[in-house]
Amino acid sequence: MSENKKMIAPSILSADFSQLGNQISLAEEAGADLLHIDVMDGHFVPNITIGPDVVKSIKKSTKLPLDVHLMVEHPEFFIDHFVDAGANWISFHTEACAHLHRTIHLAKSKVGIKVGVAINPATALTNLVNVIDYVDFVLVMSVNPGFGGQEFIEQSVGKIKFLKEMLKKTKSKALIQIDGGIDESNILKVADAGADVIVAGSSVFSNGQIKKSLQALKKALS
């Protein structure tokens, strides 16, 4: 993976689940780099989405790496289940972990898995200072988690820049992932700020023209 390569991860939260396999195939054909899967438990966030069985089914229908974002309480209870189901990347929230260091190392014990920590818009990046050396990526939420289609929080651009400087100072090779409200109007802005992996849901899936929408994002990014 080139250090300068920016990746786009379509988020199936905004997909039509009655046509999920077909929509994932269209995203893959259009050049998606990985597939972002939001797992919500109705407790950490006010929504419920999918479990390991759905991830297992998705794994059978795509060659894309699966990026599983755990928006759940006690993520340590779920890591094994989603890794066994086919997750290639897995992230969980600092706000949901009583013992963040321990949870990171539990996930890192799974061979071949990229491990990330997610952080909500109102949470300070300084909460990550003592764990930044252990993760493969940091997921910066640019909306409050729980629902797709929300408006991008502009302060997230400054947060990405601050995180980029943190990573440079610690000589960390962790990637920066951004998730929430990304579309053609702001994708280049977040990439220039330092985002390496850009999650896009509504802007890919909501209008039904998945290939066209994803290719438009890639064009705006370039």
Side-chain angles (χ1 to χ4, degrees):
M1 179 173 59
S2 168
E3 189 175 332
N4 296 319
K5 176 177 167 57
K6 304 293 184 178
M7 294 179 282
I8 298 180
S11 171
I12 66 166
L13 182 63
S14 299
D16 179 353
F17 272 58
S18 71
Q19 302 291 325
L20 186 57
N22 181 56
Q23 295 205 341
I24 288 172
S25 294
L26 290 172
E28 186 171 358
E29 290 169 14
D33 296 287
L34 60 161
L35 197 67
H36 190 80
I37 302 172
D38 288 312
V39 175
M40 306 183 190
D41 64 355
H43 297 284
F44 181 69
V45 292
N47 196 3
I48 298 173
T49 54
I50 66 175
D53 286 345
V54 176
V55 173
K56 190 180 294 185
S57 296
I58 292 170
K59 188 71 173 181
K60 296 175 183 176
S61 64
T62 182
K63 294 179 181 178
L64 292 174
L66 302 187
D67 170 29
V68 174
H69 175 195
L70 298 178
M71 301 184 193
V72 302
E73 292 182 352
H74 304 295
E76 65 273 14
F77 298 155
F78 298 93
I79 290 168
D80 279 346
H81 297 295
F82 283 97
V83 170
D84 290 345
N88 303 100
W89 296 35
I90 196 160
S91 59
F92 36 84
H93 279 257
T94 179
E95 303 88 356
C97 294
H99 305 286
L100 182 57
H101 184 274
R102 181 186 299 165
T103 305
I104 290 169
H105 281 274
L106 170 64
K108 291 288 284 185
S109 71
K110 311 303 174 185
V111 177
I113 302 299
K114 288 189 179 297
V115 177
V117 173
I119 192 162
N120 283 339
T123 303
L125 287 168
T126 49
N127 286 19
L128 303 180
V129 167
N130 293 319
V131 298
I132 204 78
D133 289 338
Y134 304 110
V135 297
D136 299 298
F137 65 102
V138 177
L139 169 50
V140 176
M141 292 301 300
S142 45
V143 298
N144 288 294
F147 296 94
Q150 298 183 65
E151 186 175 342
F152 178 78
I153 297 173
E154 286 294 333
Q155 289 88 342
S156 304
V157 176
K159 199 168 187 178
I160 296 169
K161 291 178 180 178
F162 187 92
L163 176 57
K164 192 73 174 178
E165 288 305 309
M166 275 181 63
L167 296 173
K168 284 182 181 178
K169 287 177 181 178
T170 60
K171 297 182 179 178
S172 170
K173 295 182 179 180
L175 300 176
I176 299 174
Q177 187 178 77
I178 184 80
D179 180 8
I182 305 296
D183 57 25
E184 291 177 61
S185 72
N186 55 30
I187 189 169
L188 185 59
K189 186 192 304 184
V190 297
D192 285 346
D196 303 289
V197 185
I198 299 156
V199 177
S202 297
S203 58
V204 173
F205 291 107
S206 63
N207 65 7
Q209 298 183 26
I210 295 164
K211 280 189 174 183
K212 183 178 179 180
S213 297
L214 185 51
Q215 287 166 352
L217 286 174
K218 292 173 81 71
K219 184 177 179 181
L221 185 58
S222 63

